Amino acid sequence: MHLDHVSARSARHVTDPGERRRPGALDADGLLPELGDSLVSGRMMISERLVQRLGLQPVTGVPSLNCAIVVPLTAGGNVPPLGLLVAGISDRLPLDGDYRTFFALAAAQISGAASAAEAAEMERTRAAEARHRSLHDALTGLPNRAALFDHLGQVLVSLRKHEQRVGFLFIDLDDFKIVNDMLGHQAGDDLLCDVARRIRRAVRPGDVAARLGGDEFAVVCEDIASVGELETIADHVVAALPTTRSDEANTVVVTASVGMALSDPGTTTPDELVRAADVAMYRAKRRGRDRHQLFDSSLL
């Protein structure tokens, strides 16, 4: 007995938005008449000369099959079949009730396995999407505060083992509140998305940019060899962020103040590095904004 399974990928998807269907459901359009009839009616059918009409290549050593039995792969309810089980009928076996029952049971087993696999895949997808949402900012798509601290903690542990240093940039927008107050919150949201894109373009490919919340952003810079290297990255960020927002009556220029901190052998937690960069960022604001400032103990 030679079996062929007509895959769900071999036909066009159902496009009627009012019809419930499985993600891989077949569309009856474009199928041979008896295949389409079986798909729509959900009934087992017999097809004449199916091998020749589909242009299938017979398997060597398998007796020539003149007919085929077509069985929908259904999961019950109003959900359309996932596919069709098509099996060649041997002339040596009678097409009686036992023969039909065998194929009905085989189709049920395939349907059950496919449904279970589909449900498992959907659950994995939902879990992955939920985890992504929990670790990313919904507005900008950047990693969020939780993801940043988790990543920074792992980096600190890894780099200490290799006696390398990690740099941290704390970025706070200057005059962002004026954009919200004068131009509206939609203008503010658009600006934050633009800033996120600019930061990603300004830093090195391996650096991790994140949104801490509000108008605060951060960048984790691994394997920093010197203060000068970190200052170069901060220069690029400061230069990339000045932007103008306006409406018919108002114009607002937004820049950024950036605090820099560089780990040392005594840095053990993300909080230490973030607090240091935060202190440096406020010093940059007091010095006139639109600039960066490196943390040192004299700032405390």
Side-chain angles (χ1 to χ4, degrees):
M1 189 165 51
H2 176 54
L3 301 181
D4 289 295
H5 176 214
V6 177
S7 168
R9 297 186 180 89
S10 66
R12 294 184 294 107
H13 285 172
V14 177
T15 56
D16 181 0
E19 181 179 4
R20 292 180 58 212
R21 68 177 182 87
R22 301 168 68 90
L26 284 173
D27 184 358
D29 292 347
L31 296 177
L32 294 179
E34 57 268 50
L35 299 186
D37 290 346
S38 179
L39 190 68
V40 171
S41 67
R43 297 197 309 270
M44 183 184 301
M45 293 192 173
I46 304 300
S47 176
E48 300 287 342
R49 299 180 59 254
L50 186 62
V51 173
Q52 295 88 337
R53 289 159 64 201
L54 287 177
L56 300 178
Q57 182 66 38
V59 176
T60 304
V62 174
S64 177
L65 304 173
N66 295 320
C67 298
I69 189 167
V70 182
V71 189
L73 300 176
T74 59
N78 296 324
V79 181
L82 179 63
L84 296 169
L85 172 64
V86 181
I89 302 173
S90 173
D91 295 335
R92 302 174 184 177
L93 296 175
L95 189 58
D96 55 18
D98 290 341
Y99 204 79
R100 294 172 181 266
T101 298
F102 168 78
F103 281 110
L105 292 173
Q109 291 290 325
I110 295 171
S111 297
S115 296
E118 180 184 298
E121 179 60 28
M122 291 177 65
E123 183 59 33
R124 284 193 294 270
T125 300
R126 282 194 293 266
E129 291 174 347
R131 175 168 174 76
H132 185 273
R133 287 194 299 271
S134 72
L135 296 175
H136 288 78
D137 175 53
L139 177 64
T140 65
L142 290 178
N144 60 18
R145 188 181 189 90
L148 176 80
F149 272 73
D150 180 66
H151 174 70
L152 184 55
Q154 295 179 40
V155 169
L156 285 171
V157 171
S158 174
L159 295 188
R160 278 201 305 272
K161 293 179 180 178
H162 298 89
E163 299 183 352
Q164 296 172 329
R165 306 179 76 183
V166 57
F168 188 85
L169 305 183
F170 196 117
I171 305 164
D172 186 270
L173 301 184
D174 304 320
D175 295 325
F176 175 73
K177 185 176 184 299
I178 298 177
V179 175
N180 276 339
D181 292 345
M182 298 182 63
L183 305 180
H185 288 282
Q186 184 59 56
D189 286 349
D190 292 342
L191 173 61
L192 291 172
C193 292
D194 184 30
V195 165
R197 290 189 293 268
R198 291 174 181 234
I199 292 174
R200 278 187 294 219
R201 290 195 297 263
V203 300
R204 302 174 305 175
D207 295 335
V208 175
R211 183 185 178 199
L212 297 177
D215 62 343
E216 295 178 342
F217 295 82
V219 181
V220 176
C221 308
E222 297 184 37
D223 194 14
I224 296 295
S226 66
V227 170
E229 185 176 6
L230 186 61
E231 288 178 332
T232 297
I233 300 171
D235 279 334
H236 292 161
V237 171
V238 171
L241 291 189
T243 180
T244 301
R245 290 293 188 272
S246 61
D247 60 13
E248 295 179 356
N250 304 288
T251 297
V252 182
V253 178
V254 178
T255 58
S257 298
V258 180
M260 302 179 293
L262 193 58
S263 69
D264 56 38
T267 306
T268 58
T269 67
D271 284 325
E272 296 175 60
L273 206 58
V274 174
R275 281 198 300 268
D278 189 21
V279 170
M281 181 272 294
Y282 279 105
R283 175 58 64 92
K285 282 189 179 292
R286 288 195 294 271
R287 289 179 56 214
R289 303 182 174 189
D290 191 22
R291 67 188 64 227
H292 58 71
Q293 172 70 50
L294 178 68
F295 173 82
D296 64 56
S297 58
S298 67
L299 299 180
L300 296 175

